[in-house]
Amino acid sequence: MPVIWMIDAYRAGERAQVRALVDTLAETLGWEVEIIKLQYRPGVFLPQLLRQTSLRGISSDSAARLQAPWPELIVSCGLRNEPVCRWIRQQSGAYSRYLHLGRPWAPLDSFDLIVTTPQYRFPDRANVVNNTLTLHGITAQRLAQARQRWEAEFAALPGPHIAVIVGGDSGPFTFGPRAARRLAREASAMARQSGASLLISTSSRSSAAAMAALQAELDVPNYFYRWQPDDPANPYLGMLASADQLIVTGDSIAMLSEACATGKPVHIFDLGGMREDHQVAVDFRLGALLYGWLMRYCWQALSRDICLVHQQLLQSGRACWLGDSVIPPGSVSSDDMDASVAAVRTLLGEPAVAGTVE
């Protein structure tokens, strides 16, 4: 049976995207999946930076696992995995096709297929799929199970429920105490208008100072979850499933993607500087200032512009800014996954399947 090698991502958000795509491909194609987790050698950067085809960046134990028979398809993402995936494809005599998810760092023609999103500004090419949002594993079945799991926990809070999904610092944008207090005020005001409660989930990038400021400023009934690593009782999916509307901080395309997948109205919170017509006091962060200069004055490939994602969501009516009078209808479009799967089938010479986007 044909095999897909998933070279696992080393960041949680990217890992979720890669696994969502691989799971869908395995189900669609009927292929087996082997998940390969690499260990990286500390301090070894040249293979990635010089765009090499090499295993020098991984441990000898990891390298020993990479042996024939070679897979029909390699799926991965991340700069550190690129030299390894190129090496596998080279060893296979180009038999193994290499699919890269997210931002590639090597020249585009060194990949068989790239599945990416607008913030990286890649041109439309035969081997590039530019989706609106990132891929994810949010399905109607998972939402139904989460709703059943968490409905008793949230039942004590008056309905309707508004989920508030909180990220953190990202590129030129900072989610500090100022932004957190403003989010608390705006979310609370929205809740008061309909007698709603807030279901609030922070994330791995939410700082302690921002979480404290956010929680202290709330003045409506709420359920507040502070993110913890590997927490089996993380209510995030339950909040997505139980909410009638969602507020998502605009720093995370992954969180926006998952929120839009629920089919609920999605409101984007501007951390400050995300919309030209909305001037607010922002939290100072040196890294944000330097990143802004990088975006303005340096090579665009070194940065990403998540505002391009916001623009597409707003123009398509899939989301609106928090505070806008028009509430988006919500969307459960699966076009991004369909387009990605269709591109893979074309790459592999597999016949198209009814219902996918060609």
Side-chain angles (χ1 to χ4, degrees), residues 245 265-267 317 319-321 323-329:
Q245 298 188 57
V266 175
H267 305 257
C320 71
W321 291 114
D324 282 2
S325 58
V326 178
I327 298 177

Side-chain angles (χ1 to χ4, degrees), residues 294-305:
L294 176 68
M295 290 180 64
R296 175 170 293 187
Y297 300 114
C298 297
W299 184 37
Q300 283 192 340
L302 296 176
S303 65
R304 64 188 185 98
D305 186 358

Side-chain angles (χ1 to χ4, degrees), residues 23-351:
D23 287 346
T24 303
L25 288 173
E27 181 179 357
T28 302
L29 300 172
W31 290 12
E32 291 185 354
V33 174
E34 183 176 350
I35 300 175
I36 299 175
K37 298 183 179 182
L38 301 177
Q39 294 179 327
Y40 305 94
R41 295 173 59 193
V44 179
F45 304 111
L46 287 182
Q48 304 96 289
L49 297 179
L50 298 180
R51 315 296 191 259
Q52 294 178 344
T53 300
S54 169
L55 299 184
R56 287 194 299 151
I58 62 175
S59 69
S60 56
D61 288 342
S62 293
R65 295 186 58 190
L66 305 177
Q67 298 181 5
W70 305 111
E72 279 72 11
L73 181 66
I74 313 159
V75 182
S76 189
C77 68
L79 175 61
R80 289 191 288 186
N81 288 342
E82 284 190 23
V84 178
C85 294
R86 286 193 291 269
W87 183 90
I88 296 169
R89 186 175 63 172
Q90 182 185 73
Q91 295 300 305
S92 75
Y95 170 75
S96 299
R97 305 298 182 90
Y98 174 20
L99 186 162
H100 185 91
L101 200 63
R103 171 166 56 189
W105 292 91
L108 300 185
D109 57 9
S110 63
F111 303 89
D112 293 302
L113 184 64
I114 299 164
V115 176
T116 189
T117 40
Q119 75 266 35
Y120 300 123
R121 318 178 192 89
F122 287 109
D124 290 326
R125 291 180 45 161
N127 68 329
V128 176
V129 177
N130 272 302
N131 287 328
T132 301
L133 292 169
T134 58
L135 304 179
H136 54 79
I138 302 298
T139 63
Q141 181 180 9
R142 289 189 67 200
L143 290 173
Q145 292 171 345
R147 187 181 303 111
Q148 184 177 21
R149 157 71 175 83
W150 286 96
E151 61 183 353
E153 187 77 23
F154 301 147
L157 293 169
H161 295 150
I162 301 172
V164 183
I165 309 304
V166 182
D169 300 344
S170 178
F173 307 115
T174 303
F175 187 73
R178 279 185 173 180
R181 286 190 289 268
R182 182 164 52 85
L183 173 59
R185 292 192 297 269
E186 295 182 13
S188 295
M190 180 177 168
R192 281 194 299 271
Q193 289 177 356
S194 57
S197 302
L198 300 178
L199 308 177
I200 303 165
S201 175
T202 62
S203 67
S204 60
R205 291 184 296 105
S206 304
S207 69
M211 288 189 290
L214 174 63
Q215 191 167 22
E217 196 77 14
L218 295 169
D219 59 4
V220 296
N222 66 86
Y223 181 105
F224 196 100
Y225 174 74
R226 292 190 176 222
W227 182 87
Q228 302 175 49
D230 302 317
D231 182 6
N234 187 326
Y236 170 73
L237 194 57
M239 292 181 179
L240 294 185
S242 303
D244 298 281
Q245 298 188 57
L246 299 102
I247 299 170
V248 184
T249 57
D251 54 277
S252 171
I253 182 175
M255 295 192 311
L256 285 168
S257 302
E258 292 173 344
C260 287
T262 66
K264 319 286 181 60
V266 175
H267 305 257
I268 307 172
F269 174 74
D270 175 10
L271 273 62
M274 291 179 170
R275 39 191 305 203
E276 296 179 356
D277 60 344
H278 191 230
Q279 301 301 317
V280 295
V282 299
D283 296 273
F284 176 78
R285 181 170 59 93
L286 179 60
L289 181 64
L290 296 175
Y291 199 98
W293 289 345
L294 176 68
M295 290 180 64
R296 175 170 293 187
Y297 300 114
C298 297
W299 184 37
Q300 283 192 340
L302 296 176
S303 65
R304 64 188 185 98
D305 186 358
I306 198 171
C307 293
L308 297 175
V309 178
H310 300 157
Q311 292 171 15
Q312 290 201 16
L313 289 176
L314 297 168
Q315 291 168 3
S316 64
R318 299 175 71 177
C320 71
W321 291 114
L322 177 60
D324 282 2
S325 58
V326 178
I327 298 177
S331 172
V332 291
S333 172
S334 61
D335 289 354
D336 290 336
M337 184 65 81
D338 288 346
S340 303
V341 172
V344 174
R345 297 185 74 96
T346 299
L347 173 68
L348 299 173
E350 291 283 322

